[in-house]
Structure formats: structure tokens, C-alpha cells
Amino acid sequence: MAFPHDRYRRLRRTEALRRLVAETRLSPADFVYPIFVSELVSQPTPITAMPGIHNYPVKAAAQEAARAFKLGIPAVILFGTPKQKDATGSAALKRDGVIQQAVQEIKSLTPEICVVTDVCMCEYTDHGHCGVIKDGAVDNDATIELLALQAVSHAKAGADIVAPSDMMDGRVAAIRRGLDEEGLEERAIMSYAAKYCSAFYGPFREAAGSAPQFGNRRGYQMDPPNAREALKEIAADIEEGADIVMVKPALAYLDIISKAKDEFDVPLAAFNVSGEYSMVKLAAREGIADEKRLTLEIVTAIKRAGADIIISYHAPEIAEWLG
Ligand SMILES: [Zn+2]
């Protein structure tokens, strides 16, 4: 049967009808809220490239996490900036490091919240690369040992989920082994499984001060033209023990999210990254887009593509809009 028997407009006629037949529904529970914690600031400090987002000192980060949790957002993911950086990122492993302190502070203020920590070296190394350098390039096998130590340190501080974002080979297995050896077998791993080398990360680098001082990350992050390779990366991470896998960025990679959803049975996260966030904010500021509609359309598309979990700087405002 076709027109005039079928008329698709019948179910689009009113707001209530459209709500009734919506195939994709957003909830605050879909979201993880990223929070920047910095030892370099003594009060919340705006990040110019990301209107509305701040670098927080530890105590204020805990208050920001509590605010998100009260809005119905179940989880936060933490990114840290240490006071001192060095060649091997040693501040990442300190028991009283910025993230370790933040996890404890967040958990003591809001014990029920799920705390995810970003596990990588680039925020802690003076050269800004995601691991230790040997002969001018990041040394894979030395780096994954450090990442395992960093993950254990976060988990000991109370992190529920550790999230390696470095894109070294074999790091999920190394982290799983490290956690298990320390009796932390119940802490989960969310791997940045398909992380592309993307220009959409630009604003984040201002926030975390993590731009590489030489070269770029193309030697370890994925090349944007590749989709089959993403599925191999994701399969490898699940095989190594990832409990949740992630595609990053989200908006320009909806096809990857969709393929991953079809292929794998573990929870799938998508990172609605800084550049995606800032584009919306700047377009709204210029008056060329309706901010609320644009934001909700983007995150709905990410969920429709197949993401079970959406990591987004918009999370608190979305939770407020959803009421
Ligand atoms: Zn990194």
C-alpha cells in the first residue's frame, strides 16, 4: 500500500503524537559529564574556547559533580592538569595527584556518583604526548606499563571506571592485569577504542594544556578516513577486557557508532567532544542557531546512531531542559 492509503503526516500532526511515536528518547541518565580539574587554579576559571566550561580546583570540581548528579546525570569523567609536568608524566601516578584528590573529594561529597577517570599521559608530560618518548616517538610498551600504574592509582582513590584515551596497543590488557593484581577486579574499563586524530579536539587542548610540543598524534590516533580499522580496534579492546567501548569524536563519526552498535554487544559510548560543543556555543552566540534545538538534535542523532552513553559538556544544560 502507498499513498493515498498511507499518510505519514498523520503521526506528525501534534506535539503529543510526535512524542508518542519518537523512536529515540533522551534522559539525563544517558550522559557522562566531563570535568576539568586543575592544580593551577584556585577558583573556577573559564575556558575561553569553551563558553560555560571551567577549570576547577579540587573542591569546586566536587561541587560541580554534585550539581550534575542532582540533575540526574549518573557519572562524571575527570581530566586533570598537574602543577608540574615532566618527560615521563610522573605527576599522573602520585597518590595525592590532582585526579586522585578529586576522585576522593567527589566521592566524599557524593558517594553514589559514578566517577570515571581519563587515563593518559598527555596532560602530565612536558612534551604533551600521550606516553614516554624514545627516539622521537611515543614508546608503546613502556607507556602501557605507566598507564596501568596510573589506572591502579585512580582506582585506589575510588574511581569506578578508568578510561584509557592514549591509543597505545595492548593498554587495555595491561590495565586489566594491573587492576586485578591489586585486588581491583571489580573496577571497570571504558576504552577510547576508536579515537580519531581530529581537529575537533582543538578547544580541549586549551582546557587541559595538552597540545603536543612537537609533531602530532597521527602516529597513534586513528586516521579519519578509516572505518574497518575502527571495528578492529574495538574488537581488540573488548578481547583485552574493555567493559565499555567508545567512539570519539561523535558527530562526524555517526557511521562508526552505527557500525559498532551492529557488531558488538557491550555498552557503547560516544564522546561529543570540545569542538562539537564550541561550534554550537559560538553559533548560538552569533545568533545563527537555536542553541537548545541544535544541541538536542545533535545528541539525539548520537543516540539514534547507537550510543548507549553520551559524554557531553552539554550534559547539565540538557538535563535541565529535559526537566
Ligand atoms: Zn593523551
Side-chain angles (χ1 to χ4, degrees):
M1 290 285 186
F3 178 81
H5 182 273
D6 286 344
R7 287 180 184 271
Y8 294 108
R9 290 179 57 184
R10 281 178 203 132
L11 297 181
R12 297 174 195 154
R13 207 166 44 80
T14 70
E15 172 64 25
L17 275 168
R18 291 190 292 272
R19 265 205 292 154
L20 186 69
V21 300
E23 295 175 33
T24 307
R25 296 163 200 269
L26 293 171
S27 146
D30 295 328
F31 291 91
V32 176
Y33 178 42
I35 296 179
F36 295 104
V37 198
S38 175
E39 282 182 331
L40 301 176
V41 301
S42 54
Q43 56 187 24
T45 305
I47 296 161
T48 319
M50 301 178 68
I53 301 297
H54 297 75
N55 253 311
Y56 293 97
V58 167
K59 281 218 169 5
Q63 283 155 10
E64 182 65 359
R67 180 177 80 89
F69 191 73
K70 284 194 195 98
L71 289 167
I73 298 161
V76 292
I77 182 167
L78 307 181
F79 297 90
T81 306
K83 243 189 311 239
Q84 260 154 6
K85 304 190 180 202
D86 60 25
T88 57
S90 59
L93 309 181
K94 283 166 47 185
R95 213 172 346 149
D96 63 345
V98 60
I99 289 299
Q100 290 82 350
Q101 284 188 52
V103 173
Q104 287 168 15
E105 196 73 28
I106 290 169
K107 283 285 189 181
S108 72
L109 190 61
T110 314
E112 313 90 333
I113 198 170
C114 169
V115 177
V116 187
T117 58
D118 181 76
V119 171
C120 197
M121 288 288 146
C122 54
E123 292 140 51
Y124 303 90
T125 52
D126 50 14
H127 46 72
H129 276 284
C130 298
V132 288
I133 303 292
K134 204 165 109 189
D135 303 329
V138 176
D139 184 69
N140 192 92
D141 299 13
T143 297
I144 63 176
E145 297 308 318
L146 289 179
L147 294 168
L149 293 174
Q150 186 186 15
V152 164
S153 173
H154 291 177
K156 281 185 175 167
D160 300 285
I161 301 176
V162 291
S165 62
D166 51 284
M167 292 301 280
M168 298 300 124
D169 291 315
R171 90 277 209 215
V172 173
I175 289 171
R176 185 71 271 161
R177 209 179 313 119
L179 291 170
D180 291 355
E181 279 169 12
E182 292 289 331
L184 297 160
E185 61 280 333
E186 298 216 325
R187 305 307 170 85
I189 299 174
M190 172 165 73
S191 76
Y192 289 64
K195 180 179 181 181
Y196 285 87
C197 191
S198 171
F200 284 101
Y201 305 150
F204 176 94
R205 295 194 179 154
E206 179 202 328
S210 61
Q213 298 304 301
F214 65 89
N216 53 53
R217 299 195 174 101
R218 294 200 186 112
Y220 40 104
Q221 295 181 348
M222 279 192 56
D223 203 24
N226 294 356
R228 287 192 305 251
E229 187 192 354
L231 299 182
K232 283 202 256 176
E233 283 274 13
I234 294 170
D237 281 9
I238 294 172
E239 179 80 29
E240 288 181 30
D243 302 283
I244 300 170
V245 291
M246 188 204 300
V247 174
K248 179 185 182 182
L251 192 51
Y253 297 84
L254 296 178
D255 58 325
I256 309 298
I257 296 171
S258 174
K259 285 182 207 292
K261 182 65 168 190
D262 288 344
E263 185 108 0
F264 304 106
D265 286 331
V266 300
L268 178 63
F271 204 136
N272 175 218
V273 300
S274 60
E276 299 169 33
Y277 172 87
S278 296
M279 285 198 306
V280 170
K281 289 290 174 185
L282 298 185
R285 187 194 277 174
E286 292 294 314
I288 54 176
D290 177 327
E291 182 176 352
K292 179 178 170 182
R293 284 189 58 201
L294 190 57
T295 306
L296 291 175
E297 187 173 332
I298 288 171
V299 292
T300 298
I302 294 168
K303 187 167 181 183
R304 191 189 64 231
D308 303 297
I309 298 164
I310 302 168
I311 303 165
S312 178
Y313 300 97
H314 295 289
E317 56 194 2
I318 291 172
E320 280 171 5
W321 291 330
L322 296 176

